[in-house]
Amino acid sequence: MKRIATIQDISCLGKCSLTVALPIISAMGMETCVVPTAVLSTHTMISGFTFRDLTEDMPDICDHWKKENFIFDAIYTGYLGSKRQLAMVEDYFAAFKTENNLIIVDPVIGDGGKLYPAFDVDFAHEMAKLCGKADIIMPNLTEAAFMLDEEYIESGYDLEYIQSLLKKLTNLGAKTAVLTGVSFEEGKIGVMGYDAANNEFFHYFHKKIDTSYHGTGDIFASVVVGGLMNGFSLPKALKIAADFTAKCIDITFSDPNAITYGVNFEYLLPELMQQLKK
Ligand code: PXL
């Protein structure tokens, strides 16, 4: 059984970070080891959230795992709360990177042209440094713009612009960069990736649903991790993840009784399992 370590917060209610990564990656057949970086009552988009910092536990967990010689097939990071945590995550990479495993960084710092409330431009630059240590990074356009000091362009950009962003992202040091939320035409949205070693671009687009929900980036990234660990190529894992995330949004949007702070991914997990058999 493959073993994944995922380092991100627990938002007790809010369907994001560890509360989606853990069920999704486990359901996809992997042992999911969690490093909770903080406990929040909800994600930071709901006002009044509580926050207990678990930074001090991070080095101890790392040291214990190292002492016991645990190995991981992937290390996947999501929302991280401070520069100190970024430095500690680098220690995890140093401790557990092997020739055969994957470091996957989802640089969760913002969306819709804005950084999340807890972050500033300086943090974006530090996150860019962490991306330099990864095999695969998966920013959205907002995160890419902030990490690269580029202007955020919401729409109307062309293929050349996206390709140049992808090249700049891999110039940070990551082997492969995937940009999410890319849209060249009305009604379609998807992902575009770049494998720097082979100078190859790849993409996948699907129908755009005109709404957004919190946590869908974490769902997407978790399914990509699970897909890769199931032996799918990155383009195939991206397709599975994009279709799954889009369907989660679709069924939530069309349910008048649905909650508004996240999507109903749980309902679709059995269908995701079926995908793995194909
Ligand atoms: O979904 C990303 C995310 C994860 N964790 C926390 C967040 C956010 C986005 O705002 O606030 C705590």
Side-chain angles (χ1 to χ4, degrees):
M1 191 179 211
K2 291 204 167 138
R3 183 184 293 129
I4 319 302
T6 181
I7 312 175
Q8 39 191 324
D9 68 278
I10 293 190
S11 293
C12 303
L13 182 152
K15 295 204 190 193
C16 67
S17 40
L18 282 184
T19 62
V20 304
L22 180 56
I24 289 175
I25 301 171
S26 294
M28 293 178 86
M30 312 298 149
E31 178 186 347
T32 312
C33 307
V34 299
V35 182
T37 55
V39 178
L40 295 85
S41 51
T42 65
H43 56 57
T44 60
M45 305 311 277
I46 298 180
S47 64
F49 62 88
T50 69
F51 179 90
R52 181 168 302 277
D53 188 3
L54 299 178
T55 307
E56 298 312 322
D57 292 293
M58 291 173 65
D60 296 346
I61 296 169
C62 183
D63 291 347
H64 183 211
W65 285 358
K66 190 69 193 162
K67 201 162 138 244
E68 293 294 324
N69 292 318
F70 290 124
I71 53 166
F72 297 93
D73 296 284
I75 305 168
Y76 154 46
T77 71
Y79 185 101
L80 297 165
S82 65
K83 286 192 215 162
R84 253 186 95 214
Q85 287 193 349
L86 296 180
M88 288 174 184
V89 166
E90 279 197 32
D91 294 338
Y92 275 78
F93 293 171
F96 300 111
K97 179 64 188 160
T98 68
E99 274 183 18
N100 306 315
N101 67 6
L102 284 178
I103 292 181
I104 300 158
V105 172
D106 183 7
V108 181
I109 52 172
D111 205 4
K114 291 198 190 102
L115 291 171
Y116 291 133
F119 304 134
D120 57 17
V121 172
D122 203 28
F123 187 79
H125 295 155
E126 293 301 314
M127 184 59 96
K129 285 188 202 153
L130 188 70
C131 283
K133 304 260 158 39
D135 294 298
I136 301 172
I137 58 173
M138 297 189 275
N140 60 32
L141 287 175
T142 302
E143 291 158 348
F146 276 101
M147 290 197 297
L148 296 169
D149 280 325
E150 296 273 338
E151 191 195 340
Y152 168 72
I153 304 176
E154 193 182 345
S155 59
Y157 44 74
D158 57 11
L159 178 65
E160 211 170 275
Y161 169 73
I162 295 298
Q163 289 185 332
S164 89
L165 277 186
L166 284 165
K167 286 194 170 171
K168 286 177 190 162
L169 285 166
T170 54
N171 284 343
L172 294 173
K175 295 191 186 87
T176 301
V178 174
L179 267 173
T180 62
V182 176
S183 177
F184 294 118
E185 57 176 307
E186 193 86 356
K188 292 221 154 157
I189 192 160
V191 295
M192 186 147 188
Y194 178 59
D195 168 357
N198 297 306
N199 193 26
E200 262 171 25
F201 290 97
F202 42 90
H203 61 262
Y204 179 67
F205 294 98
H206 54 84
K207 185 177 75 140
K208 181 174 180 185
I209 306 149
D210 258 328
T211 184
S212 72
Y213 289 96
H214 215 73
T216 48
D218 303 336
I219 290 172
F220 173 82
S222 300
V223 178
V224 173
V225 172
L228 290 170
M229 292 298 110
N230 270 278
F232 292 111
S233 66
L234 179 59
K236 178 74 188 174
L238 290 172
K239 179 184 181 315
I240 294 171
D243 285 340
F244 180 75
T245 310
K247 200 153 181 195
C248 289
I249 294 171
D250 210 359
I251 63 156
T252 307
F253 191 51
S254 56
D255 175 1
N257 298 316
I259 51 144
T260 53
Y261 55 77
V263 292
N264 185 359
F265 73 93
E266 297 90 339
Y267 180 76
L268 293 171
L269 283 177
E271 211 173 287
L272 178 63
M273 297 336 35
Q274 292 302 317
Q275 289 278 315
L276 303 179
K277 294 186 186 137
K278 287 181 193 158

